Amino acid sequence: MSVSSYPIVRLRPKAEARAIRHGFPWVYGDELVTDRRTQGLEPGALAILEDAERRTLGLVTVNTRSRIIARMIDRDPEAVIDQAWFELRLKRALDLRERLYADPFYRLVHAEADGLPGVVIDRFGDVAVVQPNAAWAEIHLEALVAALVAVTGVSAVVKNGSGRSRGLEGLAEETLILRGEVTGPVPVKMNGAVYMADLIGGQKTGLFYDQRPNHAFAASLARGQKVLDVFSHVGGFGLAALAGGAASALSVDGSAAALELARKGAEAMGASDRYATRQGDAFATLEALAAEGEQFGVVICDPPAFAPAKPALEAGLRAYERVARLAAPLVAPGGILVLCSCSHAADLSAFRNASARGIGRGGRRSQVLYTGFAGPDHPVLPQLAEGGYLKALAFRLDG
């Protein structure tokens, strides 16, 4: 499409155009003039964004059904969004990951920070899982997938069209194999552990790469220890702890399917004799373990997002406090408690305060040993604090 063919959308006079010029990638609904022409644009349509004085800011994608009404796609208003355009961005993303990791198992594209707003791509060797979480990516999915195959050489591509983000964009949920074949879970080696990733039926893209550095830190403290991993998914911290020399690890999760994959991972590591799983509600299981008099040298709790958005913040922080309160009594004297949050709405300070309150209410005193975030294959735009969603805190509890 030539530049003359793109419609124009314009910021309201009170909108902060300077922030967008300096790299902020989003325009919210109350910042854009939403006249009849703008309202008539199909979700995901491309348009030239101007400020209130009609100065061009760049090429955006527009979705009037979304709270984020426009996303910056390219600072060049004449950009053509085709396979070649996607290839340039994917090559840049791939160059970083190949510098970071020897093996092709990582997050290849982390949305806005990699220049592809609303797009997440995780790579599992010869298979890539794409999450097109914005309407524009759904429209251009064919070109994106062609570019992905051309740049990486993957033989299979899965579309994971599930999750809260797609609902906010008005997109339907669906999971499809777009290229090649995917048969059974894919073994992934990280930090000496083996994880079995279900790329079709698992949560998100099948495995959470973001915790890789935090798994490694927790594992470094686990040698010779009994370890409890709550909200474990496919073995996350527990399997990493076994690789780090833990005496034993117990994984707790509500999903029988996830725990079965975790057991298969432990088997692939030759660590089945040191590994056990327990299916059930995490809060109820924490209470039950306390009633049984259990204690562990390392306890990790990595729950789902209790505060995915601001309206849920207060309730979410109470939930994080409750996790800490229930987990603290299970930590042996001088032991380690690792608490994690993947909530966008809860910043580090709020999460740390909630965790500390919970530990105190659990009758323990603590010191913070470590503050961790997502790995470097999850880069963050400095202008977009929301991108730094993952927080991990390691506390040493008193005797």
Side-chain angles (χ1 to χ4, degrees):
M1 182 182 286
S2 67
V3 67
S4 59
S5 301
Y6 290 130
I8 292 174
V9 294
R10 190 166 293 120
L11 293 177
R12 295 177 185 269
K14 292 184 179 180
E16 186 53 78
R18 181 184 300 176
I20 295 170
R21 284 196 184 90
H22 291 171
F24 189 75
W26 295 344
V27 179
Y28 295 105
D30 60 357
E31 296 178 312
L32 198 71
V33 176
T34 49
D35 54 20
R36 185 178 299 175
R37 185 181 182 191
T38 300
Q39 289 284 3
L41 293 174
E42 287 294 315
L46 299 172
I48 294 172
L49 178 66
E50 294 182 347
D51 65 14
E53 285 74 44
R54 300 176 184 265
R55 291 173 295 199
T56 300
L57 296 171
L59 185 66
V60 295
T61 173
V62 179
N63 186 352
T64 58
R65 302 177 187 175
S66 174
R67 186 174 71 93
I68 304 171
I69 195 169
R71 299 169 186 259
M72 184 62 68
I73 292 291
D74 201 306
R75 297 288 163 180
D76 178 5
E78 298 184 31
V80 177
I81 310 305
D82 56 11
Q83 182 177 333
W85 183 90
F86 280 109
E87 286 185 12
L88 284 174
R89 275 152 184 76
L90 290 170
K91 285 175 182 175
R92 184 172 183 270
L94 181 62
D95 177 65
L96 171 62
R97 278 67 180 185
E98 288 184 334
R99 293 173 68 183
L100 292 170
Y101 305 109
D103 299 314
F105 295 89
Y106 40 67
R107 173 148 295 180
L108 174 62
V109 170
H110 194 52
E112 277 76 359
D114 284 303
L116 294 171
V119 177
V120 169
I121 303 176
D122 283 350
R123 184 173 183 182
F124 300 87
D126 290 331
V127 185
V129 181
V130 181
Q131 293 185 81
N133 294 330
W136 81 277
E138 192 76 35
I139 292 171
H140 296 277
L141 187 58
E142 186 175 335
L144 169 59
V145 171
L148 177 61
V149 172
V151 169
T152 65
V154 294
S155 59
V157 179
V158 176
K159 172 189 174 182
N160 184 311
S162 63
R164 177 176 172 272
S165 298
R166 284 179 65 86
L168 296 174
E169 286 278 307
L171 299 171
E173 292 203 5
E174 62 177 3
T175 297
L176 303 168
I177 298 176
L178 301 178
R179 297 284 180 94
E181 295 182 356
V182 179
T183 56
V186 175
V188 178
K189 294 182 179 179
M190 285 196 302
N191 297 314
V194 178
Y195 299 95
M196 307 304 288
D198 181 356
L199 308 187
I200 306 298
Q203 294 181 39
K204 298 290 186 179
T205 61
L207 191 68
F208 299 115
Y209 283 128
D210 52 2
Q211 287 281 22
R212 187 180 336 217
N214 305 318
H215 286 165
F217 180 80
S220 73
L221 299 174
R223 179 169 296 279
Q225 301 293 320
K226 282 178 61 180
V227 174
L228 173 64
D229 178 16
V230 186
F231 306 98
S232 69
H233 190 224
V234 296
F237 283 92
L239 296 184
L242 291 177
S248 66
L250 171 62
S251 287
V252 176
D253 201 88
S255 168
L259 291 176
E260 178 58 26
L261 289 170
R263 284 190 290 269
K264 289 180 178 177
E267 185 179 338
M269 294 166 57
S272 295
D273 58 329
R274 294 183 287 140
Y275 191 58
T277 62
R278 189 157 166 170
Q279 184 189 357
D281 174 79
F283 294 103
T285 303
L286 287 169
E287 292 174 333
L289 288 168
E292 294 162 17
E294 288 281 4
Q295 284 202 317
F296 301 84
V298 181
V299 175
I300 307 106
C301 297
D302 182 17
F306 289 142
K310 287 183 179 179
L313 178 58
E314 188 175 334
L317 291 174
R318 286 197 301 270
Y320 288 121
E321 181 178 330
R322 185 183 177 203
V323 168
R325 175 175 62 82
L326 294 176
L330 296 173
V331 180
I336 307 298
L337 174 60
V338 179
L339 300 172
C340 306
S341 165
C342 58
S343 293
H344 290 266
D347 64 18
L348 176 61
S349 177
F351 173 59
R352 185 174 53 228
N353 291 342
S355 298
R357 281 195 305 272
I359 292 170
R361 289 184 63 203
R364 306 296 293 273
R365 295 173 63 85
S366 66
Q367 56 190 152
V368 178
L369 299 186
Y370 169 86
T371 302
F373 304 95
D377 53 344
H378 292 63
V380 176
L381 278 183
Q383 301 88 352
L384 192 64
E386 293 92 331
Y389 63 95
L390 181 66
K391 286 81 62 177
L393 296 168
F395 299 85
R396 182 173 186 264
L397 302 197
D398 64 4

